[in-house]
Amino acid sequence: MEFAFTDEQNQLRETVAQFLESRCPIAETRNQIRSTNGHDQDVWRSLVRDLGLGGIHAPVEQGGAGLSYVETCIVLEEMGRALYSGPFLSSNVLSVNALMCCEGANTATFLTDVVSGDSKATLAFIERNAKWNLQEFECSANNGSLSGEKTFVFDGPSADLLIIAARSNISDRYGLYAVEANSAGIDYVALDSIDLTRRLSTIRFDSVKAIELGAIDESKYQAFLDLAVVALANEMIGGAQRMLDSAVEYASTRVQFGRTIGSLQAIKHKCAELLLDVELAKSACYRAAEAMDHEDLNRSQLASIAKAMASDVFVRAALDCIQVHGGIGFTWENDTHLWYRRAKSSEVYLGDSSFHRERYLQELGV
Amino acid sequence: MNVDWSESKVRQDVREWLRANWNPNAKLIDWRNTLVDSGWGMPAWPSRWFGVDLPPGLVPVVLEEFNRFGAVGVARTGIRLLAAETLLAHGTDEQRERFLRRILTGEEIWCQLFSEPGSGSDLAGVTTRAEQQGGVWIVNGQKVWTTSAHHADFGLLLARTNWDVPKHQGMTYFVIDMRQGGVDVQPLRQMNGYASFNQVFFTNATIPLNMRVDDEGNGWRVAMTTLMYERRAANALTGQGLNRRSDGSIYEEEAKESALLTEPYTWYPQRAGRVDLAVDRALATKSIEDHATRQELSRLLMMSKCAEWTASRARAAQQQGQSQGPEGSLGKLANSQIAKQALKVHTMTSGMESMLAGEDGPLDGLIAEILLSVPAISIAGGTDEIQKNIIAERVLGMEKEPRLDSGPFRDVRRN
Ligand SMILES: Cc1cc2nc3c(=O)[nH]c(=O)nc-3n(C[C@H](O)[C@H](O)[C@H](O)COP(=O)(O)OP(=O)(O)OC[C@H]3O[C@@H](n4cnc5c(N)ncnc54)[C@H](O)[C@@H]3O)c2cc1C
């Protein structure tokens, strides 16, 4: 009837929050920005192996925790709050989702490997021209040989398994394919990204040996996109909440005119309005997360509401947070811009708020 | 009484009781009295006072069952439930005995005498004075924006009883009989043409000593209770829509009653923006094909959904034992923003037609009424600015503004 997290879910949130606070505080994330892979392999391994988060909603038979998407989204929200830079979203959520929607003979093994952390996967589906429209993909697989170009791939170079959505050799059919990252014919081009804590790359495939994981049609693909959008939206509201907290904290300590700036209404009201919008967006994200586990006809509607709300509020929260900090907010040393960068990047990935407002109406049938 | 309530037990108990007692041909007043005695009219209230101590989270189950039967509930219009909750929290048993039942049966109408010409947001600045003289309280002064005062039997009055202490400490809360010579009610016309609020003048009006609510000087605390319920109920002032299931004379009687009781509130749905009309209007006017309109419409629908879910999260948190206090301000602020967004959407969908009112206007003037009623939502019951202060200070814990109104009220600067 009413939406509330269970005690177990609250405990999971607490555990993950504490882990991230001790293992990847923002100073450590700043170090990772300059590292080769952008994240600490040990921290990620610890998340997967020690905390058992490798496949939260993956089936127990494949080593997953067999929980719901709500738990996955709780973890993502905390990661968004902490600005975690590791490949959890790309490997343990998006790749797991892709593998879970395939029935091919090999998928179970791949899934087991990803969930256990033996393999780090990422998903390559977006193309420069087609964006994320399945029907316009040019990358194609012919008799186990994959050619084409994918871009906006998360954490590409550090992955050892690539999962690619491409045309199959039968016309008008599409499939998911697995490629070992060290296969011959793969060329990575790192992209200079606005978000310093999420690595983006373009990957070129020239007749690369690929294993077919299973066929996908438009409806399966849309379901996959909805899962991805909801995952991202939940990560985003974690970031938005962090920006609000940071703004309130600074406003409560910084003194001007003999009083904290938080006692000035221009600042106070900005924070109150932000709290309202963060709460509204959270409600959307939690609803959507819950719906992902149910064959609910409104899944796409809920996903679009979540992404539209989260996109707008995260960007605004980060902008307001910079504003509340004044000059220091515009410095490289202040951490706020790191979240702002994540906000701007996530805002447009898989559709900005205008896109999802339009999609929502279409899903409503008006 | 300590009952272990579960959803199924509630459902079963309510059903059994309705099966045995609901009669669509009963007289409204008789039915409501039966209902009040049973405790199912206000189930979350204490069993000592017309309730059954039901956990608030299970109240919707009771309402569902009433709806299934098409059974008429207790009266809910206007501020009657704010009055009741305030008396439950702070009143004497004698006051509860005297008023609660007749609030629920709809026999008596209430109004809220808080705002004054000189003090609105700054409610603690009231200057209507009450003085104890010869075994009664004598009241002199003026209230304003008092909704329903022209129908009311009783008023919740906040008055100053001590001018020599700081402003918040010098007020006392009373129940005042509105039907007396010393009370003069004059309707005020609103910008939307209706006259649902009034100014109220007190000239040596009297209040018996036993009609003081809580202690002398405690008025502010009591008023806060009323306001907390008001923010929470911001959307429920018009009473519930009844799912009429069968024929019966009680329905005609109820319709007649609610026409009278809801007269001051007929435009309240319009002030909330009528989100329910937005999609149909966009389709009917073909503005649904306009990209900019689609964006604003979609934004409106999303905001409205999210506000619903946020309210449901707040209720769930309450059920888990977290108190719901200043969070009511979030909901009130959300409703304000939704209404303003609806205003924008109705204007976009109606285009030039939104220049027209009355029979010339779209939907026989309903759109014009929306456009002219929405501005009230961010003022009535505490302005948006005040809600934001409350959210920032009490939810986010930000520092209060420095005050310039401390010291004896007598010396404080005022209008
Ligand atoms: C339709 C309607 C019905 C009403 N019904 C009732 C009723 O039944 N009973 C009753 O008692 N009252 C009623 N009211 C009155 C209502 O509660 C007051 O109008 C409201 O609290 C604002 O007070 P005010 O009108 O004196 O405006 P003011 O307090 O003078 O405010 C004017 C402006 O200043 C701003 N402001 C004031 N103080 C602050 C501050 N500290 N920080 C920032 N901004 C500030 C306000 O937000 C507003 O924008 C009703 C009002 C309306 C519109």
Side-chain angles (χ1 to χ4, degrees), chain A residues 107-140:
Chain A
T107 37
T109 328
F110 283 119
L111 187 54
T112 309
D113 287 350
V114 171
V115 168
S116 69
D118 287 346
S119 151
K120 206 188 281 174
T122 192
L123 215 61
F125 61 110
I126 297 177
E127 294 184 9
R128 183 83 58 183
N129 293 327
K131 295 201 260 185
W132 57 87
N133 297 312
L134 185 68
Q135 318 280 347
E136 291 167 40
F137 284 168
E138 286 172 5
C139 184
S140 64

Side-chain angles (χ1 to χ4, degrees), chain A residues 48-351:
Chain A
V48 170
R49 303 223 167 124
D50 304 339
L51 296 191
L53 304 178
I56 300 173
H57 60 284
V60 179
E61 299 83 71
Q62 269 79 50
L67 295 169
S68 73
Y69 212 58
V70 174
E71 278 84 6
T72 297
C73 287
I74 288 172
V75 172
L76 282 167
E77 187 183 343
E78 291 311 312
M79 289 181 172
R81 187 198 301 266
L83 200 66
Y84 176 59
S85 66
F88 182 82
L89 177 66
S90 55
S91 185
N92 305 96
V93 180
L94 301 185
S95 297
V96 165
N97 290 343
L99 289 167
M100 278 172 68
C101 76
C102 291
E103 283 107 37
N106 313 307
T107 37
T109 328
F110 283 119
L111 187 54
T112 309
D113 287 350
V114 171
V115 168
S116 69
D118 287 346
S119 151
K120 206 188 281 174
T122 192
L123 215 61
F125 61 110
I126 297 177
E127 294 184 9
R128 183 83 58 183
N129 293 327
K131 295 201 260 185
W132 57 87
N133 297 312
L134 185 68
Q135 318 280 347
E136 291 167 40
F137 284 168
E138 286 172 5
C139 184
S140 64
N142 268 308
N143 298 322
S145 163
L146 185 100
S147 292
E149 184 179 299
K150 292 287 179 182
T151 188
F152 292 102
V153 179
F154 290 172
D155 310 308
S158 63
D160 35 45
L161 176 68
L162 305 175
I163 300 168
I164 298 113
R167 271 177 194 283
S168 80
N169 46 356
I170 309 166
S171 71
D172 287 337
R173 299 238 346 236
Y174 303 87
L176 283 178
Y177 300 86
V179 165
E180 302 284 351
N182 55 9
S183 308
I186 301 185
D187 182 23
Y188 295 93
V189 184
L191 299 171
D192 194 354
S193 51
I194 191 168
D195 179 1
L196 303 174
T197 56
R198 181 159 276 155
R199 296 292 162 95
L200 297 179
S201 56
T202 295
I203 307 182
R204 295 202 193 97
F205 303 92
D206 184 9
S207 306
V208 176
K209 186 164 157 288
I211 300 166
E212 183 171 350
L213 295 168
I216 42 169
D217 57 11
E218 191 61 41
S219 89
K220 226 177 202 183
Y221 182 65
Q222 284 304 324
F224 162 78
L225 284 180
D226 286 338
L227 286 168
V229 157
V230 171
L232 187 67
N234 275 277
E235 186 195 83
M236 292 171 82
I237 49 156
Q241 179 71 53
R242 173 67 168 251
M243 292 292 90
L244 171 61
D245 292 345
S246 164
V248 170
E249 189 190 324
Y250 187 73
S252 301
T253 49
R254 171 78 177 166
V255 174
Q256 291 290 283
F257 301 99
R259 56 204 274 204
T260 63
I261 57 168
S263 69
L264 298 159
Q265 285 196 351
I267 302 293
K268 195 178 266 192
H269 287 190
K270 201 190 275 297
C271 293
E273 286 162 12
L274 197 51
L275 174 68
L276 173 60
D277 284 357
V278 168
E279 288 300 316
L280 293 178
K282 270 188 186 172
S283 300
C285 289
Y286 297 164
R287 276 285 154 158
E290 196 187 23
M292 293 301 119
D293 285 311
H294 300 100
E295 284 295 316
D296 190 317
L297 291 175
N298 297 335
R299 280 205 288 209
S300 296
Q301 289 176 20
L302 292 169
S304 277
I305 298 180
K307 182 60 167 58
M309 299 296 290
S311 286
D312 283 350
V313 79
F314 191 11
V315 171
R316 203 180 110 215
L319 279 172
D320 282 354
C321 189
I322 294 171
Q323 183 68 20
V324 167
H325 278 80
I328 208 165
F330 192 65
T331 62
W332 187 268
E333 279 66 34
N334 186 273
D335 297 324
T336 313
H337 73 103
L338 300 176
W339 273 271
Y340 176 65
R341 288 164 175 274
R342 172 67 69 79
K344 289 305 290 176
S345 173
S346 299
E347 178 189 14
V348 292
Y349 184 73
L350 300 184

